[in-house]
Amino acid sequence: MSAIRFVRFTGRLLSALAAVATLVVVFLALTALTDGTGSGVAAWSTTLGAGTALALWQGRRRAGPTRLMPFLPVVVAAALTATVCVPTAPTARRYPPDLPFVVTQHWSLSTGSRVAVYHYPPTGSGPRHPVPLVYLNGGPVRGISLLDHRFLRLLAGQGYDVYTYEQAGGGRSDLLPMSQYTISRSVRDLAAFVDRLDRGKPDVLGFSSGGVVLTRALAAPRVAARLHRAVVAEPGPMDGPTAQITGHKGRKSARGLAPATTGPRSTHVPRYGVAFGLMRLGLLSPGTGLIGQAEGDNAFTAADLGSDTASAYCARDAHRIPAEDTAQNFSFSPAASLRIQQTVKDSPSIAPQLKRSRTPAMLMIAECSSQLRQWATAVLAHDPAIQRTQYMPGVGHHMWNGLDGNDDRAVAVISAFLQGKPAPLPNHPTRDEIPAFLRDHE
């Protein structure tokens, strides 16, 4: 090939690649503008039509086979973007199989939610605690991990009558219409669960986003009146103003230090990489027409969480992070989770209501927390019924993680508060210590 022909060939190749890239960008833009209508087919057909019209215009003065050359980028782009429109995961929800060590019950709540419920009766030789304990897991809209189930069995072994449920849309619980996933619905579901339990006022342990649900329940008098004691562990932002805070996190986590997560990722599939990516950027709504809620739940894997898991552990634990779950039990609804988080961000301040709380409460904060410190201190500052704060040394966001004696320490802290015994750790930070506590993490 002569130098001139090579230059011409290279130019045509680059031009064709630029045309393909342009059509792909147009497709993504139209997908965002149409919110993925019709599984992306509306954006795909419009892009294909525009590309075909442009190719016809470009080939109008060409003769013979060369008239077809402008269509090559259109064909390539059409094939690439078509992969975003074709489901590769089941479109009907496939729930995790039942666990071998606990019975899965399904309760229909007065709110309309149908949730998967797990009960761990008290075991062990010690005294039985008469007040039931309800656990709200993190997520939001994530199934309860095997690591959490193990911790709940440990609590049951200390004489607690433990109940937990996977919040609507998570794990083995039924899905809701996307518009019904709100933080307010989560609080109402908690109240309805307590009513359905019908065991008097229970103690409630809320972790991470479960801590947000519990905090907002404490700010709702009719719900708070149903609760005996509350343990808020590593909460996320409790309302819109808190969510807008930019602040400081705990000591260094294992994020960026732990080995890369292994296993299949849905985000390596073009359809789900585009869908979840655009949702994360806010360019697609959680109720997008690109993928259905059930399909997204079926496709999403633990590996898709990436470094989020590592961020829940201290840097010193980077190379010994335990397996939190199995592929069979793992369940997470990315769309519903984003929807609930957005309703928190859009909500007004609950501080005035929280200041009237009278339910005895305890706050737990991890040393290597990936959560903003202000998310926890906002609860402490505004809830006068918080009687103690326990700063948990040597652990990250997931405080009961099976490493060293972390589970036993968490049980000791929780038990001491629920039973009205002296705290095993200093009461730190107190409300007066909040400014100094935050300065320590600058």
Side-chain angles (χ1 to χ4, degrees), residues 329-359:
N329 186 63
F330 176 81
S331 171
F332 182 69
S333 179
S337 181
L338 287 172
R339 163 76 181 166
I340 289 180
Q341 291 177 63
Q342 190 60 51
T343 64
V344 174
K345 294 176 182 177
D346 293 341
S347 68
S349 172
I350 64 168
Q353 293 80 20
L354 192 58
K355 288 179 179 178
R356 295 194 290 269
S357 176
R358 296 295 179 268
T359 304

Side-chain angles (χ1 to χ4, degrees), residues 286-308:
T288 176
L290 183 58
I291 60 171
Q293 178 189 171
E295 182 189 350
D297 293 3
N298 293 334
F300 202 87
T301 69
D304 287 321
L305 294 175
S307 58
D308 283 356

Side-chain angles (χ1 to χ4, degrees), residues 26-154:
V26 169
F27 168 75
L28 293 176
L30 289 173
T31 299
L33 288 172
T34 60
D35 200 24
T37 297
S39 196
V41 173
W44 183 83
S45 58
T46 302
T47 302
L48 180 60
T52 300
L54 181 60
L56 288 169
W57 184 81
Q58 290 176 335
R60 71 190 188 283
R61 294 181 180 178
R62 300 188 182 193
T66 60
R67 297 187 65 178
L68 300 178
M69 290 299 294
F71 288 92
L72 182 58
V74 179
V75 173
V76 173
L80 289 174
T81 53
T83 61
V84 178
C85 303
V86 180
T88 59
T91 56
R93 182 70 175 108
R94 290 188 173 178
Y95 295 94
D98 286 347
L99 296 167
F101 49 80
V102 65
V103 174
T104 303
Q105 305 175 51
H106 287 92
W107 289 8
S108 295
L109 305 181
S110 59
T111 56
S113 298
R114 187 171 181 268
V115 297
V117 179
Y118 310 94
H119 178 210
Y120 292 105
T123 59
S125 58
R128 301 296 195 258
H129 305 292
V131 179
L133 175 61
V134 175
Y135 175 63
L136 299 175
N137 69 304
V141 200
R142 180 174 177 175
I144 299 173
S145 71
L146 296 182
L147 199 63
D148 276 7
H149 276 290
R150 183 171 65 184
F151 181 68
L152 298 180
R153 292 201 298 273
L154 183 60

Side-chain angles (χ1 to χ4, degrees), residues 194-440:
V194 171
D195 289 346
R196 174 71 169 74
L197 181 60
D198 196 23
R199 290 279 309 279
K201 295 182 178 182
D203 296 323
V204 181
L205 166 61
F207 166 66
S208 193
S209 63
V212 177
V213 175
L214 181 53
T215 299
R216 295 181 70 97
L218 296 175
R222 292 183 179 179
V223 183
R226 294 172 165 91
L227 311 181
H228 181 247
R229 286 182 175 239
V231 178
V232 180
E234 280 286 287
M238 65 183 188
D239 54 24
T242 310
Q244 295 172 11
I245 292 174
T246 56
H248 308 284
K249 299 181 181 180
R251 309 301 181 198
K252 188 171 180 60
S253 76
R255 190 184 190 100
L257 301 175
T261 307
T262 59
R265 297 191 180 201
S266 69
T267 48
H268 289 171
V269 179
R271 177 172 176 82
Y272 307 113
V274 168
F276 296 146
L278 293 182
M279 274 194 280
R280 191 72 180 262
L281 293 171
L283 299 177
L284 287 179
S285 72
T288 176
L290 183 58
I291 60 171
Q293 178 189 171
E295 182 189 350
D297 293 3
N298 293 334
F300 202 87
T301 69
D304 287 321
L305 294 175
S307 58
D308 283 356
T309 298
S311 69
Y313 294 82
C314 291
R316 66 178 72 92
D317 299 325
H319 295 280
R320 58 170 191 159
I321 293 176
E324 295 190 343
D325 219 341
T326 62
Q328 294 73 27
N329 186 63
F330 176 81
S331 171
F332 182 69
S333 179
S337 181
L338 287 172
R339 163 76 181 166
I340 289 180
Q341 291 177 63
Q342 190 60 51
T343 64
V344 174
K345 294 176 182 177
D346 293 341
S347 68
S349 172
I350 64 168
Q353 293 80 20
L354 192 58
K355 288 179 179 178
R356 295 194 290 269
S357 176
R358 296 295 179 268
T359 304
M362 178 178 73
L363 180 66
M364 297 176 70
I365 305 176
E367 178 184 0
C368 310
S369 178
S370 56
Q371 309 284 79
L372 291 186
R373 292 306 196 192
Q374 285 89 339
W375 293 348
T377 57
V379 180
L380 176 61
H382 296 295
D383 185 351
I386 291 182
Q387 299 177 348
R388 65 178 70 167
T389 303
Q390 299 285 267
Y391 179 74
M392 307 293 291
V395 293
H397 179 59
H398 206 155
M399 292 182 285
W400 36 88
N401 52 36
L403 298 176
D404 303 325
N406 294 334
D407 288 15
D408 292 331
R409 280 189 285 272
V411 168
V413 163
I414 293 168
S415 293
F417 172 70
L418 296 182
Q419 297 176 35
K421 296 180 179 179
L425 296 173
N427 182 25
H428 171 74
T430 63
R431 290 180 187 82
D432 293 340
E433 293 171 340
I434 290 176
F437 180 73
L438 295 176
R439 284 196 302 271
D440 288 344

